[in-house]
Amino acid sequence: MRAVLVEQYGVPPTVVDVAAPEPEPGGVVLKVEATGLCRSDWHGWMGHDPDIVLPHVPGHELAGTIAAIGTGVSGWQVGDRVTTPFICACGTCEQCLSGNQQVCPNQVQPGFNYWGSFAEYVAVPYAEVNLVRLPDSLDFDTAAGLGCRFATSFRAIRQVGRVTAGETVVVFGCGGVGLSAVMIAAALGARVVAADTNPAALELARSYGASVVLQASPQIVDEIRALGGAHVTMDALGSNDIVQQALLALRPRGRHLQVGLLPSGVQLDVGRLIGQELEWLGSHGMPAHAYPEMLHLVASGNLNPAALITRTITLDETPTALAALTQGTPPGVTVINPWPQPGAPRP
């Protein structure tokens, strides 16, 4: 199969022919029909993830069809249309048995612990726990984003952040995660404030339901306080500076959602956390069994993740697009189509 292969951290990868994966017992192999380009992939390419072993194939948010099935898998057939959370849980540990597969201590992640979906095929372990069946009405490009950015934001806003109608939610960073959070919080009836340095990203945020858009600046805390302060803030990018602004912008007893990765760490004003009774909430993906509510809202039209897609690229364009994330995250969601269009020659 063709795949994007990283051989040195920070050096643009190449598209090469490598051996296709074989299904392990309990697992499947998917033909990748679409896969998202996410900032987490950039972190991995830069060497920020200790689990990655070079050479490596990135890619962790994906949708496709089952191409091969390992022994011991029931309930699934070759050709089934599926997606999967980027956290592949074991299904048997204490956390999994309690329904919290997103924090499974035995989890593996495509594109991090093992070769991922920037390829024509990818393996998915523990298939019966991690596969999500796609409705026929949901296209693969849209479904690919559900495995990471959209599902992560859905669980963060809906379940972890407990956002309710009438609350003010401030989303810092309007990449794929942030824009998903804007759309979801607005659908729940919240007043959404979106903050970013990119005017184009802010325009997208406004179109997805943000009531107020703010250019990121040192004065942004004062601007948010002038709006009455935030019940909930989210750092969707991963920045120490954003964290400080987000905590200062919260009302007393407010909740902060940390979704963006912080590879360089963060400093917290614990005195403010205590004195204002603030909540610092980490949120990490969403388990497969929790997808039906989100899929129902997508099918009903209350959520429209397809609108987040602003660009589709080929596998051959992926190395350049990955490297370009060093200059910043482009507005919206970029989707990679690993296979040539019908009738086009295979490179």
Side-chain angles (χ1 to χ4, degrees), residues 264-310:
S264 299
V266 66
Q267 295 180 341
L268 293 180
D269 183 349
V270 178
R272 178 171 173 78
L273 285 174
I274 296 170
Q276 297 292 302
E277 291 193 353
L278 304 179
E279 294 183 60
W280 167 282
L281 300 166
S283 190
H284 187 230
M286 187 167 81
H289 71 78
Y291 273 60
E293 180 187 13
M294 179 179 68
L295 291 174
H296 173 74
L297 292 172
V298 172
S300 67
N302 290 328
L303 294 174
N304 183 22
L308 300 171
I309 300 171
T310 53

Side-chain angles (χ1 to χ4, degrees), residues 18-161:
V18 297
E22 296 289 336
E24 297 182 355
V28 300
V29 169
L30 303 184
K31 178 186 177 186
V32 180
E33 301 289 355
T35 181
L37 176 64
C38 178
R39 190 156 191 85
S40 297
D41 301 312
W42 178 84
H43 280 293
W45 172 63
M46 290 296 292
H48 298 160
D49 192 308
D51 292 329
I52 290 176
V53 177
L54 299 180
H56 182 69
V57 175
H60 64 285
E61 50 179 18
L62 59 116
T65 53
I66 297 177
I69 299 177
T71 58
V73 176
S74 60
W76 298 96
Q77 297 180 351
V78 170
D80 284 347
R81 303 170 75 256
V82 298
T83 186
T84 180
F86 74 93
I87 299 164
C88 293
C90 73
T92 58
C93 69
E94 178 183 2
Q95 293 300 326
C96 286
L97 294 176
S98 67
N100 293 301
Q101 287 90 343
Q102 76 281 354
V103 290
C104 169
N106 306 314
Q107 66 182 257
V108 293
Q109 300 178 16
F112 298 99
N113 304 92
Y114 70 97
W115 283 16
S117 55
F118 289 3
E120 293 175 332
Y121 295 92
V122 66
V124 176
Y126 314 117
E128 292 182 17
V129 180
N130 297 306
L131 291 183
V132 178
R133 193 178 304 276
L134 296 176
D136 292 337
S137 60
L138 189 63
D139 64 273
F140 287 117
D141 285 6
T142 304
L146 300 182
C148 177
R149 281 172 280 194
F150 202 81
T152 293
S153 292
F154 185 83
R155 183 171 174 274
I157 292 292
R158 173 88 166 159
Q159 299 168 8
V160 178

